[in-house]
Amino acid sequence: MSGIKYLKLFIPVIFMVFLQTCNQNRKMVGLQIEEKPVVELKHVKLRGKLRVVTDYNSTNYFVYKGHTMGFQYEMLEALAKHLGVKLELTVNNDLVSAFASLERGDVDLLGMNLAVTTDRMEKFNFTIPHSQSPQVLIQRSPVNDSTGFIRNKADLGGKRIHVQAGSSFQEHLVRLSNEMEMPIDIVVVDMLEEEGLISMVASGEIDYTIADENVAMVNSSYYPGIEFKTSVSLPQNLAWALRKGANHLTHDVNMWLMDFQKTKEYKRIYQRYFKSSRIEEMMQSEYFTVKSGKISDFDDLLKEKAKIIDWDWRLLSALISQESNFNPKAQSWVGAFGLMQLMPETAYRYDVDSLSSPIENVDAGVRHLKYLKGKLDETLSDKTDELKFLLASYNVGLGHVLDARRLAEKNGKNPDQWKESVDYYLLNKSKPEFFNDPVVKYGYCRGSEPYQYVNKILERYSNYQNIVLLN
């Protein structure tokens, strides 16, 4: 009996030790899979950039004649400007993956047309609506008459409808299907968003899909064979998503959005992408990159010439877009000419002039870039920021950039570092206390131009990388 009593007393002790061990193991496991902390506005400002995922399509984010455009793009640019930070934009047309990246804390915001559903609100914060749109059925026009159109949601039973994985269209169709005697045949598609599915309906690859009405309206100009007059939902709120718990950042974005939607700028942006006939003209153009994959008439030339300096051709395209907007006849007030806006003295060195062909102009410009890069290779010990130094040198001249390096070194800054070092002294080289410094050899320059030039080209290049294929 004494042994049994001893065992009864000992068992609870063993159980408590077991629980403590489990808790310790659970804590250890928690440390291994610990999520990133929730980011608020102060963290965004401290970081200096807002990390956003958007989708690439005919309304949200695209390139037209070399210019980055889109409803979401312009809205997000305005938000970043308001916050005083840089917009770091990446593309992901896979909604499941995009939401996962937000949940992990890899990004701060999903800047898309996201329907606010009950299921999503349990997992994420949502802003106030940036727009509204009902969901509509996309179907092909019958050959002879309109009797073949589906006009009632009840008639969707038994129909095969393709929708994007993780979309609100999928959620809504599942609810509709559960209410029907004959369920809807829902086919979920990965890595293809609503515009891709609209294209498949138009080509006859599939019979039906679901889209937001405003997106369907824009695409109907490009695919005249589709029909979208059958609504399958009431108008839904479309908003941006943030990480669950980012309540202060959500509040700050909402306060801005409420004010912004009252402005003429918001009305202009919405009108441009959803009400204007201009968007129809863009979609028909060969320079509408969503459909054509082209940036300009000179893509093949730039792919060839970029090899001379071992550049991505999209970077060379970004530079030329900034310089001449791809106009081979462009001429500036200071005499620069052609696609690469060569100054006469630079052009003379490479045996070209204003009458030379676009091929000769680009060839000369690229050879000049190669020359500048060679000089910088001899000068920079750390070449991490060499591209920024090279772009600035192409814009304002190598001498002024070397002056800014000398000023940085004199003032205890790293002369091989661009940001918050050489860029600062170049930006301020229009002020007497800077250009009159004894270390300055090339005098005054309007430093804001090369400063903005570098930022604009790299931003445009980033957008081209998001949207345009390398080859």
Side-chain angles (χ1 to χ4, degrees), residues 97 108 211 217 251 257 317 321 359 370 404 407 425 456:
S97 171
D108 305 318
M217 188 178 302
H251 173 77
L257 199 51
S317 295
S321 177
I359 296 174
K370 188 173 183 179
L407 284 167
Y425 292 99
K456 287 178 180 178

Side-chain angles (χ1 to χ4, degrees), residues 432-451:
E433 61 267 36
F434 288 83
F435 69 73
N436 285 328
D437 192 287
V439 301
V440 171
K441 297 181 180 179
Y442 292 87
Y444 168 91
C445 87
R446 193 164 54 185
S448 59
E449 281 192 16
Y451 177 85

Side-chain angles (χ1 to χ4, degrees), residues 134-187:
Q135 295 181 6
V136 294
L137 180 70
I138 307 297
Q139 50 192 325
R140 278 188 307 285
S141 302
V143 177
N144 298 320
D145 55 41
S146 62
T147 56
F149 283 134
I150 294 176
R151 288 291 178 239
N152 195 309
K153 287 187 291 186
D155 296 330
L156 296 177
K159 297 294 189 294
R160 175 168 290 183
I161 305 177
H162 290 71
V163 289
Q164 181 184 11
S167 65
S168 59
F169 311 128
Q170 178 187 353
E171 292 182 29
H172 186 64
L173 277 187
V174 168
R175 287 196 297 271
L176 279 179
S177 183
N178 291 337
E179 298 170 359
M180 295 179 174
E181 291 185 10
M182 182 180 293
I184 301 169
D185 182 6
I186 303 170
V187 180

Side-chain angles (χ1 to χ4, degrees), residues 298 324-332 336-341 354 356 358 361:
F298 304 99
S324 64
N325 196 24
F326 300 106
N327 178 7
K329 297 181 180 179
Q331 190 157 351
S332 77
F337 60 86
L339 287 171
M340 296 197 69
Q341 289 293 281
S354 59
S356 299
N361 187 277

